[in-house]
Amino acid sequence: MILDAARLAFFNLFARETRSVLVKVLGVTILVLIGLWFVLRGLFMTFLFPWIAGFFPEIPDWAGWLSFVFVVLASIGLALGLALLLSPVTALIAGLFLDDVAEVVEKRDYPEDIPGTAMPIGPAITSSLKFLGVVIAGNIVALFLLFIPGVNLIAFFLVNGYLLGREFFEFAAMRFRSPQEARLFRAKHASTVFLGGLVIAAFLAIPFLNLLTPLFAAGMMVHLYKLISQRDLGFHRST
C-alpha cells in the first residue's frame, strides 16, 4: 500500500497535469531568489561596502579597479549564498500549491470519488510555514546527534519520518474531514502513516530531487489516505 502510494505519487510529479504546478513553483522560487539577491546586494552596497572601504582610505586611483573586482566577487558570493536557501525557499513556495497537487491526483486517479476541499489561502500559508518549520526542527534535532556514529542517520529518518508523515497525512485527510477527525484518523493509522513518512524522508535525502519533496509528499499522502479510507470504511465521517 505504501509503495503503491509512493510509486503513484512519483509518476504524478511528471504527469502532464502536474507540469503547470512545477512551473509555478520553480518560477516563483526563482523570482523570490532573484528579488532576495537584489535586496541583499542593495543592502551590502549601501551599508557594508562603505564601512569596509573606510578601512582603506589611502587606496591610490590606479587601484580603483580593486573596488570593482570586490563588488563583483561579493555579488557572486551572495548568489552562491542564496543557493543554500534554494531548498527551504522551494519548500515554502511549494507549500502554497499542495492543494493543486492534491486536485490533480484526485482527478487523475480517483475521478469517481467526491473531490476534496482546498484550504483557504490563510491556512495554506500556515501549512506551508508549518512544513518549513517541521523540516528545520527535525534537522536541528538530527544535527545534535551528528557526531554519534550511526545515530545521526537513524535520527534523520525517524524524526523526519514522523513529522513529515503526520503533517502531510493530516493535510490530505483535512481535504475530506474536519481537522479533529483528520487527527483521529491519522492517530488510528499511526504506524502506516509513519512508514509513509519514512518514504518521504528518504525522498528528502536525495539531492536536487528533494526540491520537489512537498509536492511528492502531498501526492503520496493523498494516495495513502485514499487507500486507507477504502479499507477503513467504518471510520466515522464528519457531515
Side-chain angles (χ1 to χ4, degrees):
M1 179 167 58
I2 293 172
L3 293 180
D4 287 338
R7 176 179 56 82
L8 291 169
F10 182 78
F11 286 116
N12 277 336
L13 277 178
F14 306 100
R16 178 176 54 84
E17 298 90 338
T18 315
R19 288 173 193 164
S20 62
V21 181
L22 289 175
V23 170
K24 285 189 287 187
V25 170
L26 295 177
V28 173
T29 299
I30 291 171
L31 289 176
V32 168
L33 290 175
I34 291 175
L36 282 174
W37 183 84
F38 277 108
V39 169
L40 292 176
R41 184 180 182 278
L43 291 173
F44 175 82
M45 294 300 297
T46 303
F47 299 104
L48 191 57
F49 182 71
W51 179 74
I52 294 175
F55 289 97
F56 306 97
E58 304 299 329
I59 294 180
D61 293 338
W62 61 267
W65 61 273
L66 290 175
S67 298
F68 173 76
V69 172
F70 180 77
V71 170
V72 171
L73 291 176
S75 298
I76 295 174
L78 285 174
L80 294 175
L82 287 176
L84 299 176
L85 297 177
L86 182 61
S87 182
V89 170
T90 303
L92 183 62
I93 300 300
L96 301 176
F97 297 97
L98 297 183
D99 278 305
D100 291 8
V101 175
E103 289 174 7
V104 168
V105 170
E106 291 167 11
K107 291 178 181 178
R108 178 184 172 91
D109 297 310
Y110 308 96
E112 304 300 324
D113 293 359
I114 298 175
T117 302
M119 288 188 293
I121 185 63
I125 293 174
T126 301
S127 176
S128 179
L129 292 173
K130 281 179 66 178
F131 167 74
L132 183 61
V134 162
V135 172
I136 293 174
N139 285 281
I140 287 176
V141 172
L143 183 63
F144 282 118
L145 302 172
L146 180 64
F147 299 104
I148 304 178
V151 174
N152 56 335
L153 185 62
I154 295 173
F156 172 84
F157 282 103
L158 291 180
V159 172
N160 282 292
Y162 171 74
L163 294 175
L164 294 173
R166 184 192 69 184
E167 291 299 322
F168 281 99
F169 187 83
E170 289 185 4
F171 154 77
M174 282 191 289
R175 287 180 56 82
F176 301 92
R177 304 175 185 271
S178 67
Q180 181 180 6
E181 195 173 79
R183 286 190 288 270
L184 290 174
F185 192 66
R186 190 265 306 168
K188 182 178 180 181
H189 300 280
S191 58
T192 302
V193 173
F194 173 66
L195 292 175
L198 290 179
V199 175
I200 298 173
F203 192 92
L204 181 66
I206 303 174
F208 300 109
L209 195 61
N210 59 7
L211 298 176
L212 304 178
T213 297
L215 305 183
F216 171 78
M220 178 181 171
M221 285 307 183
V222 169
H223 284 297
L224 192 60
Y225 170 80
K226 289 286 189 178
L227 293 171
I228 292 176
S229 295
Q230 291 170 5
R231 297 187 179 188
D232 190 6
L233 297 176
F235 190 87
H236 172 69
R237 295 184 62 86
S238 60
T239 57

